[in-house]
Structure formats: C-alpha cells, structure tokens
C-alpha cells in the first residue's frame, strides 16, 4: 500500500463495484466521474490473479499506439482525489469473483490504515421506478448511532448480498463509520450508461460528506 494513503486530509473513502451491485453502471460511473474531475491518481491495485475469474471479467486489449497493444487486466484500483476541503480515496473495479473473505480482510487492513472520517458504499439496483421522476437514492447505515447522527435509515436488509454488503458488515464490526447509497434504476432502461442515476448518487454523496 502506498505510504501516501496514510497522510491524507480529512479522508473519506468512496467505493463502487461493477456487476451485480451496479445497475446501469450508475454507481461505478460516479467513481469514474470523480477520478476524471479531480485528476485522481492510482495509488494501489489488487493482484487480479487472486480474486478475478478472467472468463467472467475478461481482460481488455487496448491500442497504446499503432502496432503496440496493451492488456488491461480486471482489478480493484485505489485512487486518491484531492478536493479543496478534503481528500477522497476512490475504490473501484469489477466485483471480485474469488476469496471474498481474504479480499475483505485486505480491504479492511487498508481502511484501518487510512483512518477515514467515513466510508461510503455506492450501489444501484433495478426497480419499478419511472424514468419521468427523480431517481430515488436510499441512504442507510448499519450502525444505529451513525444513522441517527446523519439522519439516515438504519439498514434492515435481509437476503443475498454482494461484496458491498460484506464490506459494510466488516466496517461496522471494526467500528469504522460506513453508509450505503443505492440508486433505484428503472428496470426498463437498464442498459448503461445512466447519467441521471449517477447524478442522483452524486447529489446524495455531497449530502453525506457535507462536501460540494
């Protein structure tokens, strides 16, 4: 892990994964937008051999220049964006396929080293929401005290979960303040991109971080 991840100003961590957690790519597009808008730099990446099935998440071939091709492997990247008021650690990539407990343990080791003010997990799901109305974004916390402090709902979800649910649970066990933001994407416009849903998540993210 980069030493620069332990020397940040009022850090907050924002996390989104592609795949099951990311209807219309609405959540991962927020990470991409923040990285582009603030010139975020990659500080760390997980070894893709440990956690990804390359038949599910295929490597991509990209032409660097005529006659020179580069293979981009699916992985989880950790970037740092410097905002005027604080630093954001942006974590994104496809949802891992293998060894979730080891993956989460490595993630939590990094989180504890960063000592963030808040971890924000971003997701998007398909729902019966009409496209003609504002995109609903639910905001929940697993910890009752944090939910009351931020004016959020206390998470009561039961059922199948993705890597976001695992990270949320581990943050709560470790005493790391963590909230989840989920956008409801109309099921009949599920193809990415969905900038309206991404914008709705961004507005809610501004609220919970109190950062424009």
């Amino acid at each position: 892990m980069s030493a620069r991840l332990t020397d940040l100003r009022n850090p907050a961590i924002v996390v989104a994964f592609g795949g099951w957690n990311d209807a219309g790519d609405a959540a991962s597009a927020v990470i991409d937008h923040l990285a582009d808008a603030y010139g975020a730099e990659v500080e760390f990446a997980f070894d893709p051999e440990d956690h990804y099935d390359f038949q599910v998440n295929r490597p991509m071939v990209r032409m660097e220049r005529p006659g020179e091709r580069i293979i981009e492997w699916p992985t989880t990247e950790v970037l740092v964006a410097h905002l005027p008021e604080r630093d954001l650690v942006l974590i994104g990539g496809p949802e891992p396929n293998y060894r979730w407990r080891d993956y989460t343990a490595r993630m939590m080791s990094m989180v504890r080293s960063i000592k963030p003010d808040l971890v924000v997990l971003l997701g998007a799901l398909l729902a019966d929401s009409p496209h003609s109305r504002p995109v609903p974004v639910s905001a929940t916390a697993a910890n009752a005290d944090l939910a009351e402090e931020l004016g959020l709902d206390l998470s009561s979800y039961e059922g199948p979960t993705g890597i976001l649910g695992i990270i949320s649970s581990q943050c709560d066990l470790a005493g790391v303040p963590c909230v989840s933001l989920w956008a409801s994407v109309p099921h009949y416009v599920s193809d990415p991109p969905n900038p309206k849903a991404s914008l709705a998540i961004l507005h809610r993210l501004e609220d919970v971080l109190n950062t424009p």
Side-chain angles (χ1 to χ4, degrees):
M1 185 178 71
S2 170
R4 286 180 289 185
L5 289 176
T6 60
D7 187 25
L8 300 172
R9 299 170 302 123
N10 306 316
I13 299 176
V14 184
V15 187
F17 293 98
W20 187 84
N21 313 271
D22 193 23
D25 292 355
S28 57
V30 172
I31 298 293
D32 293 340
H33 167 75
L34 292 171
D36 290 342
Y38 294 101
E41 297 182 353
V42 177
E43 297 290 344
F44 176 79
F46 282 65
D47 186 344
E49 291 285 345
D50 294 337
H51 302 290
Y52 288 97
D53 181 342
F54 299 141
Q55 290 183 318
V56 176
N57 294 293
R58 294 278 180 175
M60 300 294 290
V61 177
R62 181 170 60 83
M63 296 297 295
E64 180 73 4
R65 57 181 59 89
E68 183 176 339
R69 297 192 302 172
I70 291 179
I71 303 296
E72 295 181 339
W73 296 91
T75 187
T76 300
E77 290 187 335
V78 180
L79 307 92
V80 174
H82 301 290
L83 279 65
E85 300 84 3
R86 70 189 321 157
D87 294 325
L88 289 184
V89 178
L90 308 173
I91 301 177
E95 185 177 49
N97 306 110
Y98 299 133
R99 303 180 185 90
W100 278 20
R101 285 180 290 186
D102 176 64
Y103 180 93
T104 308
R106 295 175 64 188
M107 182 75 73
M108 291 306 302
S109 176
M110 179 176 60
V111 168
R112 284 189 289 267
S113 297
I114 294 171
K115 298 182 176 65
D117 295 338
L118 188 66
V119 175
V120 186
L121 307 176
L122 309 181
L125 51 85
L126 297 178
D128 292 328
S129 300
H131 72 277
S132 56
R133 296 181 182 177
V135 175
V137 177
S138 64
T140 62
N143 178 276
D145 291 337
L146 182 62
E148 182 177 359
E149 177 186 346
L150 297 179
L152 307 180
D153 294 328
L154 182 64
S155 177
S156 60
Y157 173 77
E158 295 180 303
T161 191
I163 195 66
L164 290 177
I166 306 300
I167 294 173
S168 175
S169 175
Q170 292 302 304
C171 282
D172 187 41
L173 289 174
V176 176
C178 178
V179 303
S180 298
L181 306 179
W182 283 78
S184 296
V185 175
H187 63 85
Y188 53 88
V189 287
S190 59
D191 291 341
N194 193 314
K196 185 176 180 179
S198 297
L199 184 61
I201 295 173
L202 274 168
H203 285 321
R204 203 69 177 93
L205 181 63
E206 286 183 321
D207 292 340
V208 297
L209 291 180
N210 193 27
T211 302

